[in-house]
Amino acid sequence: MSKVNAEILFQNDFNGSLLNKNKDVLIGYNGLAPYDMLQGALVACFHATFLEIITKKRIVVETTRYLVEGIKREEIPTMLNEVKMDIFIKTDAKKEPILKSFELAAKYCSVYNTIAQVATITYDVHFE
């Protein structure tokens, strides 16, 4: 098993920093909210997994942009019920290998699969 470590420092209220060896990120009132970070973690993991797959296939993409919408349930705890990702990709590659690579990313991305335990995740790929 591998460890996942984080250090988070809060001042006297909900203003804090996620401290990382590469960069500190503000969280709370003056930074990212918890669900912003969760959606960012989802996309970062999903995209990194996608990149690993297309690199092995020697597929090149120019840009990939994600728009993420999370819908929380009304009941307490108000956890995620649905997550929808719209993915806009600019590439000269054929569509089918790109779509298959996103399917594999969904299968192998650990954060995607963690969130999928409590929420339905869907995505649509748009070619630009």
Side-chain angles (χ1 to χ4, degrees):
M1 291 204 156
S2 60
K3 291 183 180 181
V4 178
N5 297 315
E7 181 179 353
I8 297 94
L9 171 67
F10 283 98
Q11 298 302 325
N12 59 3
D13 55 14
F14 193 53
N15 291 310
S17 296
L18 171 61
L19 308 172
N20 181 283
K21 63 182 177 184
N22 298 319
K23 183 165 178 72
D24 295 347
V25 177
L26 294 177
I27 57 176
Y29 295 135
N30 294 326
L32 295 173
Y35 275 98
D36 296 335
M37 291 187 292
L38 184 62
Q39 291 176 356
L42 168 63
V43 170
C45 179
F46 186 76
H47 188 68
T49 306
F50 170 72
L51 287 177
E52 287 179 26
I53 294 163
I54 65 170
T55 299
K56 289 177 184 173
K57 294 180 177 184
R58 295 190 168 105
I59 297 172
V60 177
V61 297
E62 188 176 325
T63 60
T64 311
R65 181 171 53 97
Y66 294 81
L67 295 178
V68 185
E69 179 182 54
I71 300 169
K72 294 193 283 184
R73 66 183 194 160
E74 297 293 322
E75 302 84 20
I76 296 175
T78 57
M79 57 196 215
L80 282 176
N81 192 42
E82 296 176 45
V83 178
K84 178 161 182 2
M85 296 188 290
D86 278 299
I87 305 166
F88 299 86
I89 189 160
K90 193 175 207 180
T91 183
D92 291 331
K94 293 181 180 178
K95 290 181 181 181
E96 193 55 41
I98 294 287
L99 294 172
K100 181 64 177 169
S101 297
F102 279 118
E103 287 176 24
L104 290 170
K107 181 178 180 179
Y108 293 110
C109 170
S110 59
V111 176
Y112 186 103
N113 283 284
T114 299
I115 294 172
Q117 297 296 311
V118 297
T120 301
I121 305 174
T122 58
Y123 63 87
D124 290 316
V125 180
H126 310 275
F127 291 88
E128 298 183 314

